[in-house]
Amino acid sequence: MEKKKVNYKLLFELFMTFFKISPITFGGGFAMIPIMEEELVTKKNWIGKEEIVDVFAVSQSVPGAIAVNSATFVGYQIAGVPGALAALVGIVIPTFVIIIILGALLSSFQHNIHVQAALQGIRPVVVALIASAAYKMSKVSLVDKICFTLCAICVLVLLLFKSLNLILVIFMGAFFGIVIVKVKEMQNHTVAQKKVRGEKF
């Protein structure tokens, strides 16, 4: 059996892509979504728009940080286990180094007026990034009235029950998605049978 060659150039490109994404992302993994979409879908064309939505959905539904999970998932999709490791190392190293440096310097600048002002400016930008990502994902995910209704119900549930486990909401969405697909299949099957009967008569 011929051993598959490792594409080191692709692995290095994966590493550098996530190495660049990691330090410019403020506000957690969700703020990383539009940046990852820009790099992976638009610039690199490694995965499609629908695939990136699936990546974020899966990454959110498993334990761990969404940024790390997404990077690992994408890396695996593109170059298998070596790709997953390259993307994982790329996404973790910059943040790790920055946190170590900030931890060492925290006591000297945590009450600095300029630092506090900068953070106040960053927070609304993070909200804008997340809103932008949500809008872009909605164009791919909300393909019909049923999907839109399901999304609206989930938003309402999350707003009313703030302590509700997010994993539970995701699994509920998966369950209803399966039910909706099955119902549509049954409806299509019924319509097809009626057409066949009509042709016979």
Side-chain angles (χ1 to χ4, degrees), residues 14-15 18 67-69 71-72 75 82-94:
L14 268 168
F15 170 81
F18 286 100
V68 174
N69 292 345
T72 307
L85 291 173
L88 175 62
V89 174
I91 204 80
V92 168
I93 285 179

Side-chain angles (χ1 to χ4, degrees), residues 18 31 36 45 104 115 117 128 137 139 190 195-196 199:
F18 286 100
M36 285 182 67
N45 198 27
V115 172
M137 290 173 68
K139 291 196 291 185
T190 304
K195 284 183 178 179
V196 171
E199 288 174 0

Side-chain angles (χ1 to χ4, degrees), residues 16-25 32 35-36 39 91:
M16 288 305 301
T17 298
F18 286 100
F19 188 86
K20 287 188 296 181
I21 290 173
S22 181
I24 60 172
T25 306
M32 186 179 283
I35 300 169
M36 285 182 67
E39 286 290 330
I91 204 80

Side-chain angles (χ1 to χ4, degrees), residues 132-145:
S132 172
Y135 173 71
K136 289 178 181 178
M137 290 173 68
S138 69
K139 291 196 291 185
V140 178
S141 304
L142 307 182
V143 293
D144 54 29
K145 291 180 180 179

Side-chain angles (χ1 to χ4, degrees), residues 120-192:
Q120 283 184 347
I122 288 171
R123 287 170 195 143
V125 173
V126 169
V127 174
L129 284 171
I130 295 172
S132 172
Y135 173 71
K136 289 178 181 178
M137 290 173 68
S138 69
K139 291 196 291 185
V140 178
S141 304
L142 307 182
V143 293
D144 54 29
K145 291 180 180 179
I146 295 174
C147 292
F148 185 84
T149 303
L150 183 59
C151 176
I153 291 170
C154 287
V155 170
L156 186 62
V157 168
L158 288 170
L159 290 174
L160 292 175
F161 305 97
K162 295 179 182 178
S163 60
L164 191 64
N165 193 314
L166 294 178
I167 304 299
L168 179 62
V169 177
I170 290 170
F171 278 118
M172 283 172 59
F175 172 75
F176 284 117
I178 293 169
V179 170
I180 290 166
V181 168
K182 290 294 181 184
V183 169
K184 284 183 177 180
E185 285 178 354
M186 289 173 64
Q187 287 176 341
N188 292 336
H189 182 67
T190 304
V191 170

Side-chain angles (χ1 to χ4, degrees), residues 40-105:
L40 304 176
V41 179
T42 307
K43 290 183 179 180
K44 302 291 184 182
N45 198 27
W46 279 338
I47 52 178
K49 285 187 177 181
E50 291 185 3
E51 287 179 289
I52 197 73
V53 173
D54 294 337
V55 166
F56 295 137
V58 172
S59 300
Q60 177 62 24
S61 62
V62 296
I66 186 173
V68 174
N69 292 345
S70 299
T72 307
F73 198 112
V74 170
Y76 183 80
Q77 291 283 88
I78 295 167
V81 174
L85 291 173
L88 175 62
V89 174
I91 204 80
V92 168
I93 285 179
T95 307
F96 177 77
V97 173
I98 290 168
I99 289 297
I100 293 295
I101 295 170
L102 289 179
L105 300 175

